[in-house]
Amino acid sequence: MSIHLVIIDALNLIRRVHSAQPDETDIARTIDTTSRTLQRIIGEADPTHIIAVFDHHLQDRGWRAEVLPGYKARRKPMPQPLQQGLDQIQQAWWELGIDSLLSEGDEADDLVATLATKVAAHQEKVTIISTDKGYCQLLSPTLQIRDYFQQRWLDAPFIENEFGVKPTQLADYWGLTGISSSQVPGVPGIGPKAAKEILTQYPDIDSAYASDDLPAKYRKKLDEHIELARVCKQVAGLKTDIELGFNLQDIRFSGSPA
């Protein structure tokens, strides 16, 4: 039997739905809207296995903040009503047959990446439901990213059009340009155009840095900031070796357990 694992980037979906509502205290509406959204996703994707992965809202900023102390230092806290309603949301999703994986010391991104790559490595189909382009560095023939809200696939042509690089170069791209929303600084003076030019000529940051042919305008910047570029690349990357504590059989989808 072929497998199709659907992984829901839970807080990505919930925050998008919740932020569009006129009353942020109306958790019942958030539960209803997200549940209907998931039912449509299930209908479209027809998964054999499914799981929703949550960041733990009480955790610190994880290993990335240890490597780069400013990482997400200015992120907005989750609205209190939403934070208090997460258990109800998880229960409603459970009643649809969707189990939840809650991170403890790791960001949800790394849990998603680990699970997705493990399954895709066996040539089984994986769909990540998220608007987060960071997952695109995982793209493979059997691993795809679906932006449900824009009804589009975040695939290699999308990345080429959006950033001008290959999916495998995204961490290097962000290592150079930074990620403003997460307070990842990148290399001062290198923006999207320069990063694209560098990564068109070289496969990654270190290859560019090691080259005698790197244009002088970039040589000076990398000479001054190569360690920062490497740290930003590391933070922009995804871990794929997290201990998950369950197997695929545990998240087989058979509809509502009720």
Side-chain angles (χ1 to χ4, degrees):
M1 172 186 167
S2 61
I3 287 170
H4 181 198
L5 170 63
V6 171
I7 306 174
I8 309 296
D9 182 359
L11 291 187
N12 177 272
L13 186 151
I14 292 166
R15 284 179 180 272
R16 287 291 296 265
V17 168
H18 187 259
S19 66
Q21 293 180 182
D23 181 2
E24 73 167 28
T25 66
D26 189 356
I27 297 304
R29 186 169 179 177
T30 299
I31 292 170
D32 179 64
T33 304
T34 57
S35 295
R36 284 188 285 107
T37 298
L38 287 173
Q39 287 173 316
R40 287 194 292 270
I41 289 169
I42 289 167
E44 292 173 6
D46 191 23
T48 61
H49 298 72
I50 189 167
I51 192 165
V53 182
F54 286 77
D55 272 313
H56 197 297
H57 61 273
L58 297 178
Q59 75 175 33
D60 60 23
R61 288 170 291 129
W63 67 267
R64 289 180 174 84
E66 295 176 10
V67 174
L68 186 69
Y71 175 72
K72 289 189 177 179
R74 299 195 301 273
R75 68 177 176 179
K76 297 170 87 173
M78 183 182 296
Q80 194 70 19
L82 183 56
Q83 181 175 314
Q84 293 172 345
L86 284 181
D87 286 345
Q88 295 170 260
I89 292 172
Q90 289 173 25
Q91 178 60 34
W93 292 11
W94 168 254
E95 291 169 6
L96 294 175
I98 303 171
D99 204 351
S100 297
L101 175 61
L102 190 66
S103 69
E104 293 183 358
D106 302 292
E107 286 194 89
D109 294 3
D110 296 320
L111 296 175
V112 170
T114 297
L115 178 57
T117 54
K118 280 183 183 297
V119 174
H122 293 284
Q123 306 308 308
E124 301 290 359
K125 185 177 178 182
V126 180
T127 302
I128 300 171
I129 305 294
S130 182
T131 64
D132 187 347
K133 300 176 184 70
Y135 290 122
C136 294
Q137 57 194 290
L138 305 174
L139 284 166
S140 76
T142 58
L143 195 161
Q144 57 190 1
I145 324 296
R146 180 68 169 170
D147 177 347
Y148 174 80
F149 295 97
Q150 295 291 328
Q151 288 291 295
R152 64 188 179 184
W153 296 102
L154 304 184
D155 53 14
F158 171 84
I159 294 302
E160 169 66 32
N161 184 63
E162 188 88 351
F163 302 107
V165 300
K166 299 173 183 176
T168 53
Q169 294 177 301
L170 280 171
D172 290 275
Y173 177 87
W174 288 315
L176 293 170
T177 66
I179 307 171
S180 59
S181 61
S182 298
Q183 292 82 61
V184 177
V187 175
I190 293 186
K193 184 178 178 181
K196 176 183 175 181
E197 185 177 328
I198 292 168
L199 293 173
T200 298
Q201 187 171 355
Y202 303 99
D204 53 47
I205 289 169
D206 278 308
S207 297
Y209 180 64
S211 174
D212 293 333
D213 298 323
L214 183 68
K217 58 184 177 179
Y218 302 137
R219 165 61 57 200
K220 184 174 188 299
K221 292 179 173 63
L222 285 187
D223 280 346
E224 292 177 358
H225 301 290
I226 185 60
E227 290 308 321
L228 177 60
R230 288 169 174 158
V231 166
C232 291
K233 174 182 175 177
Q234 181 184 358
V235 168
L238 294 166
K239 283 190 174 184
T240 57
D241 59 354
I242 304 298
E243 185 63 43
L244 295 173
F246 66 92
N247 60 48
L248 208 55
Q249 184 60 36
D250 296 330
I251 56 174
R252 180 178 293 277
F253 181 67
S254 56
S256 171

